[in-house]
mmCIF file of all heavy atoms in Angstrom:
data_model
loop_
_atom_site.group_PDB
_atom_site.id
_atom_site.type_symbol
_atom_site.label_atom_id
_atom_site.label_comp_id
_atom_site.label_asym_id
_atom_site.label_seq_id
_atom_site.Cartn_x
_atom_site.Cartn_y
_atom_site.Cartn_z
ATOM 1 N N GLY T 612 9.469 4.238 -11.122
ATOM 2 C CA GLY T 612 9.696 3.708 -9.787
ATOM 3 C C GLY T 612 8.595 4.145 -8.843
ATOM 4 O O GLY T 612 7.987 5.202 -9.018
ATOM 5 N N VAL T 613 8.336 3.310 -7.839
ATOM 6 C CA VAL T 613 7.359 3.632 -6.793
ATOM 7 C C VAL T 613 8.058 3.495 -5.452
ATOM 8 O O VAL T 613 8.793 2.529 -5.220
ATOM 9 C CB VAL T 613 6.125 2.715 -6.862
ATOM 10 C CG1 VAL T 613 5.259 2.867 -5.619
ATOM 11 C CG2 VAL T 613 5.311 3.007 -8.118
ATOM 12 N N PHE T 614 7.820 4.455 -4.570
ATOM 13 C CA PHE T 614 8.438 4.464 -3.251
ATOM 14 C C PHE T 614 7.354 4.496 -2.187
ATOM 15 O O PHE T 614 6.528 5.411 -2.170
ATOM 16 C CB PHE T 614 9.360 5.671 -3.105
ATOM 17 C CG PHE T 614 10.188 5.662 -1.854
ATOM 18 C CD1 PHE T 614 11.433 5.062 -1.832
ATOM 19 C CD2 PHE T 614 9.719 6.259 -0.684
ATOM 20 C CE1 PHE T 614 12.192 5.041 -0.685
ATOM 21 C CE2 PHE T 614 10.473 6.241 0.474
ATOM 22 C CZ PHE T 614 11.719 5.642 0.471
ATOM 23 N N LEU T 615 7.354 3.483 -1.296
ATOM 24 C CA LEU T 615 6.393 3.410 -0.196
ATOM 25 C C LEU T 615 7.089 3.862 1.081
ATOM 26 O O LEU T 615 8.137 3.321 1.453
ATOM 27 C CB LEU T 615 5.855 1.990 -0.023
ATOM 28 C CG LEU T 615 4.942 1.458 -1.133
ATOM 29 C CD1 LEU T 615 5.762 0.843 -2.259
ATOM 30 C CD2 LEU T 615 3.977 0.415 -0.589
ATOM 31 N N THR T 616 6.513 4.848 1.758
ATOM 32 C CA THR T 616 7.155 5.424 2.931
ATOM 33 C C THR T 616 6.923 4.564 4.173
ATOM 34 O O THR T 616 6.170 3.596 4.162
ATOM 35 C CB THR T 616 6.630 6.839 3.207
ATOM 36 O OG1 THR T 616 5.300 6.757 3.749
ATOM 37 C CG2 THR T 616 6.613 7.675 1.936
ATOM 38 N N GLY T 617 7.550 4.995 5.270
ATOM 39 C CA GLY T 617 7.374 4.322 6.544
ATOM 40 C C GLY T 617 6.111 4.770 7.262
ATOM 41 O O GLY T 617 5.382 5.653 6.808
ATOM 42 N N GLY T 618 5.885 4.146 8.412
ATOM 43 C CA GLY T 618 4.698 4.431 9.208
ATOM 44 C C GLY T 618 4.182 3.160 9.844
ATOM 45 O O GLY T 618 4.880 2.495 10.596
ATOM 46 N N ASN T 619 2.981 2.768 9.493
ATOM 47 C CA ASN T 619 2.329 1.565 10.020
ATOM 48 C C ASN T 619 1.959 0.677 8.842
ATOM 49 O O ASN T 619 1.126 1.042 8.012
ATOM 50 C CB ASN T 619 1.078 1.962 10.815
ATOM 51 C CG ASN T 619 0.346 0.773 11.424
ATOM 52 O OD1 ASN T 619 0.575 -0.371 11.054
ATOM 53 N ND2 ASN T 619 -0.533 1.045 12.363
ATOM 54 N N GLN T 620 2.583 -0.515 8.778
ATOM 55 C CA GLN T 620 2.346 -1.386 7.627
ATOM 56 C C GLN T 620 0.909 -1.895 7.542
ATOM 57 O O GLN T 620 0.425 -2.231 6.455
ATOM 58 C CB GLN T 620 3.318 -2.571 7.603
ATOM 59 C CG GLN T 620 3.464 -3.350 8.884
ATOM 60 C CD GLN T 620 4.672 -2.893 9.676
ATOM 61 O OE1 GLN T 620 4.879 -1.706 9.877
ATOM 62 N NE2 GLN T 620 5.480 -3.848 10.120
ATOM 63 N N LEU T 621 0.186 -1.926 8.664
ATOM 64 C CA LEU T 621 -1.211 -2.341 8.593
ATOM 65 C C LEU T 621 -2.070 -1.298 7.881
ATOM 66 O O LEU T 621 -3.101 -1.633 7.302
ATOM 67 C CB LEU T 621 -1.763 -2.608 9.996
ATOM 68 C CG LEU T 621 -1.326 -3.946 10.609
ATOM 69 C CD1 LEU T 621 -1.804 -4.057 12.045
ATOM 70 C CD2 LEU T 621 -1.831 -5.123 9.785
ATOM 71 N N ARG T 622 -1.659 -0.035 7.899
ATOM 72 C CA ARG T 622 -2.366 0.970 7.101
ATOM 73 C C ARG T 622 -2.197 0.670 5.614
ATOM 74 O O ARG T 622 -3.119 0.893 4.815
ATOM 75 C CB ARG T 622 -1.846 2.368 7.427
ATOM 76 C CG ARG T 622 -2.464 2.970 8.681
ATOM 77 C CD ARG T 622 -1.965 4.377 8.947
ATOM 78 N NE ARG T 622 -2.149 5.266 7.814
ATOM 79 C CZ ARG T 622 -3.280 5.878 7.488
ATOM 80 N NH1 ARG T 622 -4.360 5.682 8.240
ATOM 81 N NH2 ARG T 622 -3.355 6.691 6.452
ATOM 82 N N LEU T 623 -1.040 0.169 5.219
ATOM 83 C CA LEU T 623 -0.829 -0.215 3.828
ATOM 84 C C LEU T 623 -1.693 -1.410 3.448
ATOM 85 O O LEU T 623 -2.367 -1.401 2.420
ATOM 86 C CB LEU T 623 0.647 -0.533 3.593
ATOM 87 C CG LEU T 623 1.582 0.668 3.477
ATOM 88 C CD1 LEU T 623 3.037 0.229 3.613
ATOM 89 C CD2 LEU T 623 1.377 1.388 2.150
ATOM 90 N N SER T 624 -1.669 -2.459 4.265
ATOM 91 C CA SER T 624 -2.397 -3.669 3.895
ATOM 92 C C SER T 624 -3.905 -3.465 3.927
ATOM 93 O O SER T 624 -4.627 -3.983 3.068
ATOM 94 C CB SER T 624 -1.997 -4.831 4.817
ATOM 95 O OG SER T 624 -2.299 -4.538 6.165
ATOM 96 N N THR T 625 -4.401 -2.688 4.883
ATOM 97 C CA THR T 625 -5.853 -2.513 4.983
ATOM 98 C C THR T 625 -6.387 -1.461 4.016
ATOM 99 O O THR T 625 -7.561 -1.507 3.630
ATOM 100 C CB THR T 625 -6.261 -2.121 6.417
ATOM 101 O OG1 THR T 625 -5.586 -0.911 6.795
ATOM 102 C CG2 THR T 625 -5.904 -3.224 7.389
ATOM 103 N N THR T 626 -5.540 -0.528 3.598
ATOM 104 C CA THR T 626 -5.985 0.515 2.669
ATOM 105 C C THR T 626 -5.775 0.114 1.217
ATOM 106 O O THR T 626 -6.641 0.343 0.361
ATOM 107 C CB THR T 626 -5.239 1.837 2.943
ATOM 108 O OG1 THR T 626 -5.422 2.215 4.301
ATOM 109 C CG2 THR T 626 -5.743 2.951 2.032
ATOM 110 N N ILE T 627 -4.631 -0.511 0.912
ATOM 111 C CA ILE T 627 -4.270 -0.806 -0.478
ATOM 112 C C ILE T 627 -4.544 -2.253 -0.859
ATOM 113 O O ILE T 627 -4.828 -2.550 -2.028
ATOM 114 C CB ILE T 627 -2.784 -0.448 -0.705
ATOM 115 C CG1 ILE T 627 -2.606 1.070 -0.628
ATOM 116 C CG2 ILE T 627 -2.274 -0.980 -2.032
ATOM 117 C CD1 ILE T 627 -1.175 1.533 -0.763
ATOM 118 N N GLY T 628 -4.456 -3.170 0.098
ATOM 119 C CA GLY T 628 -4.648 -4.591 -0.220
ATOM 120 C C GLY T 628 -5.973 -4.862 -0.911
ATOM 121 O O GLY T 628 -7.014 -4.349 -0.501
ATOM 122 N N GLY T 629 -5.940 -5.653 -1.982
ATOM 123 C CA GLY T 629 -7.169 -6.021 -2.678
ATOM 124 C C GLY T 629 -7.777 -4.928 -3.521
ATOM 125 O O GLY T 629 -8.945 -5.029 -3.923
ATOM 126 N N THR T 630 -7.005 -3.884 -3.834
ATOM 127 C CA THR T 630 -7.511 -2.767 -4.643
ATOM 128 C C THR T 630 -6.793 -2.727 -5.996
ATOM 129 O O THR T 630 -5.789 -3.407 -6.192
ATOM 130 C CB THR T 630 -7.290 -1.422 -3.934
ATOM 131 O OG1 THR T 630 -5.877 -1.125 -3.932
ATOM 132 C CG2 THR T 630 -7.810 -1.458 -2.503
ATOM 133 N N PRO T 631 -7.266 -1.894 -6.928
ATOM 134 C CA PRO T 631 -6.557 -1.743 -8.199
ATOM 135 C C PRO T 631 -5.115 -1.269 -8.043
ATOM 136 O O PRO T 631 -4.272 -1.573 -8.890
ATOM 137 C CB PRO T 631 -7.409 -0.712 -8.950
ATOM 138 C CG PRO T 631 -8.778 -0.887 -8.399
ATOM 139 C CD PRO T 631 -8.577 -1.208 -6.953
ATOM 140 N N VAL T 632 -4.815 -0.538 -6.970
ATOM 141 C CA VAL T 632 -3.433 -0.100 -6.746
ATOM 142 C C VAL T 632 -2.525 -1.297 -6.514
ATOM 143 O O VAL T 632 -1.455 -1.415 -7.126
ATOM 144 C CB VAL T 632 -3.355 0.878 -5.550
ATOM 145 C CG1 VAL T 632 -1.914 1.162 -5.189
ATOM 146 C CG2 VAL T 632 -4.075 2.167 -5.886
ATOM 147 N N ALA T 633 -2.923 -2.217 -5.637
ATOM 148 C CA ALA T 633 -2.115 -3.402 -5.369
ATOM 149 C C ALA T 633 -1.963 -4.253 -6.629
ATOM 150 O O ALA T 633 -0.866 -4.731 -6.943
ATOM 151 C CB ALA T 633 -2.740 -4.224 -4.241
ATOM 152 N N ASP T 634 -3.053 -4.439 -7.364
ATOM 153 C CA ASP T 634 -2.990 -5.232 -8.601
ATOM 154 C C ASP T 634 -2.033 -4.595 -9.604
ATOM 155 O O ASP T 634 -1.230 -5.288 -10.243
ATOM 156 C CB ASP T 634 -4.386 -5.354 -9.222
ATOM 157 C CG ASP T 634 -5.349 -6.165 -8.377
ATOM 158 O OD1 ASP T 634 -4.880 -6.931 -7.514
ATOM 159 O OD2 ASP T 634 -6.574 -6.015 -8.575
ATOM 160 N N LEU T 635 -2.111 -3.282 -9.727
ATOM 161 C CA LEU T 635 -1.277 -2.585 -10.699
ATOM 162 C C LEU T 635 0.197 -2.626 -10.301
ATOM 163 O O LEU T 635 1.071 -2.790 -11.161
ATOM 164 C CB LEU T 635 -1.757 -1.142 -10.842
ATOM 165 C CG LEU T 635 -1.085 -0.293 -11.923
ATOM 166 C CD1 LEU T 635 -1.209 -0.949 -13.304
ATOM 167 C CD2 LEU T 635 -1.701 1.108 -11.951
ATOM 168 N N LEU T 636 0.507 -2.488 -9.024
ATOM 169 C CA LEU T 636 1.894 -2.544 -8.574
ATOM 170 C C LEU T 636 2.504 -3.912 -8.860
ATOM 171 O O LEU T 636 3.660 -4.014 -9.300
ATOM 172 C CB LEU T 636 1.986 -2.216 -7.084
ATOM 173 C CG LEU T 636 1.724 -0.763 -6.691
ATOM 174 C CD1 LEU T 636 1.755 -0.613 -5.180
ATOM 175 C CD2 LEU T 636 2.734 0.173 -7.346
#
């Protein structure tokens, strides 16, 4: 399982979007 915490969703999209992490998830 993977758990994504709260905060600012734009930090998620701009940091993880388009990376191997996003592809793997």
Side-chain angles (χ1 to χ4, degrees):
V613 169
F614 188 89
L615 291 86
T616 74
N619 181 345
Q620 49 263 48
L621 283 174
R622 278 182 54 81
L623 283 165
S624 60
T625 58
T626 304
I627 292 177
T630 70
V632 171
D634 293 341
L635 186 56
L636 289 176

